[in-house]
Amino acid sequence: MSKMIFVSNRLPMTVKVNKGSISYEKSIGGLATGLKSYHEQADALWVGWPGFSSDRMKKSVLSEIQNSLLGQYNCFPVYLTEKDVQLYYEGFSNRTIWPLFHYFANLTEYDEANWARYKKINEKFYQEMKPFIEEDSTVWIHDYQLMLLPEIIKRNHPTVKIGFFLHIPFPSSEIFRLLVWKEEILKGILGADLIGFHTYDYVRHFLSSVRRILNVNHRFYKLNYNHRHIEVDAFPMGIDYDYFSKFQVDKKINTNSEIKNILSVDRLDYTKGIVERIKAYATFLSKYPKYIGKVRLNLIVAPSRQSLPFYDQLRSEIEILVSQINGKFSNDEWIPIWYYFKSFSQDELIAYYRASDILLVTPVRDGMNLIAKEYIAARTDYLATLIISETAGAASELSEAIIINPNDEVQIADSIKLALDMPKAEKIQRNKIMHERIYRYNVNFWATEFINRLENISFEEEIKLPVEAFINKPEIYDKFDQSKQRIFFLDYDGTLAEFKKTPMQAAPNKALKSMLLKLANNKKNTVVIISGRDHETLDLWFGRMPINLVGDHGLWYKHSGKTWKKTVNIESDWKPSIKHVLDMYVDRMPGSFIEEKSHSIALHYRQAEPEMVSVKLSEIKDALYSIKGTTPIEIQQGNMVLEVKDQRVNKGNATRLFTNEKDYDFVLVAGDDTTDEDMFKALPEAETIKIGFGESAAKHRVDSSKEFRKLLNEIIIREK
């Protein structure tokens, strides 16, 4: 196996420094247990934060901790300052991503400083782990604190296999689109080769967001993005079944055989539905008074994120509710709720699992909720009764439990009654099925399945490397330096300028015009902007500059300072029937619009719903081909545009009008679209550059218009 690197916000152990004494305490539970066997391999490394702020630590102490973690535990620490923790972790991770991904949009904060630190820390994680990355390494990144890290690693190490797993829900696209930095987050995650979620609902939401925001469609949960194949799938996380089922409890919980125990275990968080759960229990006591004095709710709430104000408010609300209910229903011999605001060890929790007749797991939203699985596994007598929210990830696996709506107090109350009255035989039947499933798909199975899937991913031949690796800059620079007569054929949209929602929003800014002017002012250079835009728009934007223009995909051309001319005389009698068909579909595709030019008609659909486009596009093409007949037109698929044009008009033919005028010894051609392939094919000896991904006849490739402008600026600097 290649070198394995695990990355998570926290290391699988806690480091404590007290009066010069350093202690190391290994974590137990989900992730640490699942990856334990892989991590213990000689060539495996775990990178993460050790859990303390490094501000006031001496460098010698930090160095000692680093050496100990690396030498004894195969861990490498990423040190964070108090400010890092405040902005990156407590700020962006827990005040932006956590509430939004759990559907609490009203609690979501959007702070530029937090976002900036989040980006910085993701970059820091990469820089810290960079010395350990080999070209055949396998990297598995975990959770929402590090969603930018996959892309950073892939950009710098394209042959490394990268997995990413999100341990919290991925929200619906309608919720996710509220995120200010949604595109950056998606692109960050898409640096991974395998992306995992707990449930297929989360997979579906993620793919929907990718489709709606980045216009990238999937095929059988596989994405073709940046000319890479990315797999997306559900991997429900399991538990260490043997640990919970075989654990010997030393200290048993004091119970009264006459009283049924209901257990609630959560850390303090608004996503857990604790307040709603307490209210539902009160509803149960009111609706079924015969159980007063016969049931007890053991409410365990573990302290969490107490530095955030909302959590203090939540704690106060819980304690007020508990006090009110105990005051209303208590008698001299019985208290309905026993409330514990403290953390319990895993061993203590197992004791509570064994002593509880019912476990209430009613989060408003939860990625998985392993407590539900732990409870079932611990009850080897098969007499457990689990009431679980339909919005918890575990509910999709534990369908034999009693499934409830976490917002329906009456339903939860009725479910408690149902659980208390359930016959023993039915409990055993339900539990046996859940036990078998939890045993089979345990945490080791989860980790092994993901790692094997990641290891077996093969990078196919068409995979493209980062920009530095697949454009030969030295070759271009060498030919440029030695040349005396140069010509540049430059597409506009997607090449010199990024795409915008509407064509007119992509007007050139001062920086772009300045760059083109510098390039054109060199007497050795001839600059031609060759675009699919109408020639009137090109004239408005560039008509007064010393630049040659070609518009309408090659129908009109103009030498600098001269008048416009046509390259070929064309007929337009075919346009009315084509426009009639497109008009009909525009009415059915909100967000799309038609752009009519002298030689073509274009259907733009960048702003239309991707699902609608995927359904309608093939239908539109079939309709157009059916009426095309023998007319001299072609139907051309572009970047979020379908264009019908006279096939005698193309950019390749237009380039020859300029190359025939002089004996150019350096020709550079750049474009991003299928229409630019005509130029690449017409000028095979030129330095042809494709912007973006997809099949192309170009010799070189860059990944964006930003990278191409950077190249042009580097060429301009060489002229000085």
Side-chain angles (χ1 to χ4, degrees):
M1 183 184 288
S2 59
K3 184 179 184 66
M4 179 72 68
I5 303 174
F6 302 116
V7 195
S8 59
N9 177 61
R10 287 292 298 270
L11 286 173
M13 59 194 337
T14 299
V15 181
K16 294 182 179 179
V17 181
N18 186 18
K19 297 181 180 179
S21 175
I22 305 172
S23 63
Y24 303 88
E25 183 179 334
K26 288 188 177 182
S27 303
I28 59 173
L31 193 59
T33 301
L35 302 183
K36 181 179 178 181
S37 61
Y38 293 98
H39 181 217
E40 289 177 348
Q41 296 177 51
D43 206 26
L45 180 72
W46 198 312
V47 177
W49 178 46
F52 61 84
S53 300
S54 60
D55 303 59
R56 298 180 179 87
M57 293 285 189
K58 294 181 180 179
K59 288 185 178 180
S60 59
V61 175
L62 295 177
S63 179
E64 180 183 347
I65 292 172
Q66 177 179 301
N67 293 335
S68 295
L69 285 172
L70 191 57
Q72 298 178 40
Y73 303 101
N74 289 337
C75 291
F76 189 82
V78 177
Y79 292 126
L80 302 180
T81 66
E82 287 185 13
K83 197 71 172 177
D84 291 335
V85 175
Q86 178 188 347
L87 299 181
Y88 144 78
Y89 180 68
E90 294 177 355
F92 190 78
S93 296
N94 290 331
R95 293 190 179 190
T96 301
I97 297 300
W98 179 268
L100 186 68
F101 279 37
H102 286 84
Y103 291 74
F104 285 83
N106 59 314
L107 299 180
T108 303
E109 298 180 11
Y110 299 101
D111 186 289
E112 283 288 348
N114 291 347
W115 165 243
R117 190 62 60 106
Y118 183 84
K119 291 192 293 182
K120 180 180 178 181
I121 299 305
N122 273 252
E123 181 67 39
K124 181 175 184 177
F125 264 79
Y126 165 67
Q127 293 299 334
E128 294 290 346
M129 64 186 290
K130 182 178 178 180
F132 302 101
I133 300 176
E134 300 169 358
E135 290 312 303
D136 64 341
S137 292
T138 298
V139 180
W140 190 2
I141 302 163
H142 291 270
D143 229 359
Y144 62 103
Q145 300 92 350
L146 300 171
M147 290 188 289
L148 301 180
L149 186 56
E151 191 276 331
I152 297 172
I153 298 175
K154 181 60 70 176
R155 186 194 330 140
N156 292 280
H157 305 275
T159 61
V160 168
K161 291 181 179 179
I162 303 171
F164 176 80
F165 195 91
L166 188 70
H167 291 267
I168 65 174
F170 195 93
S172 68
S173 58
E174 287 77 10
I175 294 293
F176 182 74
R177 283 190 291 183
L178 298 175
L179 184 62
V180 176
W181 307 278
K182 53 186 175 291
E183 290 189 19
E184 293 93 328
I185 293 294
L186 285 181
K187 290 176 180 178
I189 295 173
L190 289 174
D193 302 293
L194 176 62
I195 302 168
F197 301 92
H198 283 305
T199 73
Y200 281 105
D201 278 346
Y202 307 155
V203 171
R204 179 168 50 84
H205 294 331
F206 175 75
L207 293 173
S208 177
S209 292
V210 170
R211 182 170 62 248
R212 290 168 178 266
I213 295 167
L214 299 182
N215 289 301
V216 178
N217 286 296
H218 74 95
R219 192 167 186 266
F220 299 113
Y221 295 157
K222 291 186 178 180
L223 297 164
N224 193 335
Y225 173 74
N226 277 359
H227 222 63
R228 295 171 38 242
H229 291 299
I230 302 166
E231 296 186 20
V232 186
D233 212 339
F235 301 85
M237 190 174 183
I239 61 169
D240 185 351
Y241 179 87
D242 288 342
Y243 174 78
F244 290 95
S245 62
K246 297 177 181 179
F247 184 82
Q248 298 296 318
V249 176
D250 294 327
K251 183 180 179 181
K252 294 186 178 180
I253 305 300
N254 291 326
T255 58
N256 184 333
S257 59
E258 305 250 335
I259 293 180
K260 297 292 185 180
N261 282 280
I262 303 171
L263 178 63
S264 169
V265 182
D266 283 297
R267 65 180 180 78
L268 183 67
D269 197 279
Y270 50 82
T271 67
K272 301 300 183 181
I274 301 172
V275 169
E276 293 81 1
R277 192 177 314 165
I278 297 170
K279 290 179 179 179
Y281 178 62
T283 300
F284 163 75
L285 294 176
S286 296
K287 190 173 182 181
Y288 303 104
K290 72 174 184 176
Y291 286 100
I292 291 176
K294 296 179 181 180
V295 296
R296 183 174 84 193
L297 174 61
N298 292 305
L299 183 66
I300 298 175
V301 180
S304 175
R305 300 175 185 168
Q306 291 173 281
S307 61
L308 302 181
F310 188 80
Y311 285 76
D312 281 336
Q313 297 170 19
L314 178 60
R315 178 185 176 184
S316 296
E317 186 176 1
I318 290 170
E319 292 175 349
I320 290 171
L321 267 175
V322 170
S323 178
Q324 289 174 344
I325 293 169
N326 281 343
K328 179 178 180 180
F329 293 101
S330 294
N331 56 44
D332 293 339
E333 299 177 351
W334 174 78
I335 299 175
I337 301 177
W338 287 30
Y339 171 60
Y340 307 89
F341 185 70
K342 57 176 288 190
S343 295
F344 283 75
S345 69
Q346 193 75 78
D347 299 357
E348 290 172 320
L349 285 178
I350 293 176
Y352 271 97
Y353 294 157
R354 299 264 171 87
S356 300
D357 300 280
I358 299 171
L359 176 69
L360 270 179
V361 179
T362 61
V364 179
R365 189 75 57 172
D366 211 344
M368 173 53 69
N369 197 295
L370 297 178
I371 287 174
K373 295 184 177 184
E374 293 171 1
Y375 172 66
I376 295 296
R379 294 298 301 272
T380 52
D381 59 359
Y382 297 148
L383 295 179
T385 308
L386 172 65
I387 299 174
I388 188 170
S389 167
E390 61 189 350
T391 52
S396 62
E397 295 177 86
L398 304 176
S399 55
E400 292 76 21
I402 300 174
I403 312 295
I404 53 88
N405 182 327
N407 298 306
D408 191 337
E409 294 177 13
V410 174
Q411 185 189 31
I412 297 173
D414 291 342
S415 295
I416 294 173
K417 168 73 162 50
L418 175 64
L420 291 169
D421 293 346
M422 186 178 292
K424 182 177 179 180
E426 184 179 347
K427 290 182 183 179
I428 293 173
Q429 182 183 22
R430 290 177 183 237
N431 275 269
K432 280 185 175 180
I433 298 172
M434 290 189 286
H435 269 264
E436 183 180 345
R437 193 176 298 127
I438 295 170
Y439 170 77
R440 186 174 63 250
Y441 204 111
N442 58 34
V443 69
N444 294 317
F445 184 93
W446 167 79
T448 299
E449 185 183 28
F450 190 95
I451 290 172
N452 287 345
R453 182 87 162 268
L454 182 58
E455 290 279 0
N456 289 329
I457 286 177
S458 61
F459 295 149
E460 301 180 21
E461 291 183 2
E462 68 266 29
I463 188 169
K464 299 301 179 184
L465 303 179
V467 58
E468 294 80 8
F470 61 78
I471 182 169
N472 193 334
K473 288 185 178 181
E475 176 185 307
I476 294 175
Y477 293 155
D478 184 58
K479 291 182 179 180
F480 175 83
D481 292 341
Q482 296 181 36
S483 61
K484 297 181 179 178
Q485 291 292 332
R486 311 153 182 158
I487 188 166
F488 297 80
F489 291 103
L490 308 176
D491 173 50
Y492 186 74
D493 292 284
T495 301
L496 290 174
E498 287 87 359
F499 285 105
K500 302 295 183 181
K501 289 185 177 181
T502 61
M504 291 310 296
Q505 288 178 329
N509 56 28
K510 290 182 180 179
L512 177 57
K513 285 188 173 182
S514 175
M515 181 189 71
L516 292 171
L517 194 59
K518 290 176 184 177
L519 190 66
N521 279 340
N522 189 304
K523 294 181 180 180
K524 295 181 180 181
N525 298 344
T526 298
V527 178
V528 183
I529 292 181
I530 183 165
S531 172
R533 284 186 177 271
D534 63 89
H535 62 290
E536 292 93 345
T537 298
L538 293 179
D539 203 45
L540 176 67
W541 289 350
F542 303 106
R544 297 184 180 182
M545 298 177 67
I547 292 173
N548 305 289
L549 302 173
V550 177
D552 299 281
H553 289 300
L555 176 61
W556 292 90
Y557 74 101
K558 171 187 175 182
H559 286 87
S560 176
K562 305 293 184 179
T563 58
W564 286 96
K565 297 179 181 179
K566 276 188 177 182
T567 59
V568 62
N569 291 319
I570 60 171
E571 301 293 334
S572 298
D573 55 350
W574 53 270
K575 289 173 69 176
S577 58
I578 295 293
K579 188 173 184 300
H580 174 73
V581 172
L582 294 182
D583 279 336
M584 184 171 59
Y585 279 99
V586 164
D587 292 338
R588 302 176 187 175
M589 292 172 58
S592 64
F593 64 92
I594 292 174
E595 181 185 17
E596 186 170 355
K597 304 175 186 177
S598 55
H599 76 299
S600 69
I601 300 177
L603 172 66
H604 294 269
Y605 51 85
R606 182 172 296 276
Q607 296 183 78
E609 286 291 336
E611 291 93 340
M612 189 186 308
V613 171
S614 64
V615 171
K616 294 292 183 185
L617 200 56
S618 59
E619 188 180 324
I620 296 171
K621 289 179 181 178
D622 288 343
L624 293 175
Y625 277 116
S626 69
I627 64 172
K628 174 181 178 296
T630 58
T631 55
I633 62 173
E634 63 179 337
I635 300 164
Q636 200 163 52
Q637 180 76 59
N639 195 327
M640 299 298 158
V641 61
L642 187 69
E643 188 158 19
V644 184
K645 68 184 186 69
D646 192 302
Q647 61 188 4
R648 293 168 296 177
V649 177
N650 69 68
K651 292 181 178 181
N653 293 336
T655 61
R656 297 189 182 97
L657 295 171
F658 293 90
T659 55
N660 290 338
E661 295 174 347
K662 289 184 182 180
D663 186 17
Y664 293 103
D665 53 355
F666 178 84
V667 181
L668 187 146
V669 185
D672 73 299
D673 212 338
T674 52
T675 60
D676 301 311
E677 294 297 317
D678 292 328
M679 292 195 293
F680 300 153
K681 294 172 183 176
L683 302 170
E685 302 303 318
E687 298 303 315
T688 50
I689 303 174
K690 165 78 172 178
I691 287 79
F693 298 85
E695 294 183 7
S696 177
K699 296 177 183 177
H700 309 279
R701 189 185 298 267
V702 297
D703 66 353
S704 66
S705 58
K706 180 180 179 181
E707 289 292 340
F708 178 67
R709 291 195 302 272
K710 179 181 177 182
L711 173 69
L712 283 184
N713 276 313
E714 290 171 356
I715 286 175
I716 291 169
I717 292 172
R718 298 181 72 86
E719 295 179 315
K720 294 180 180 178

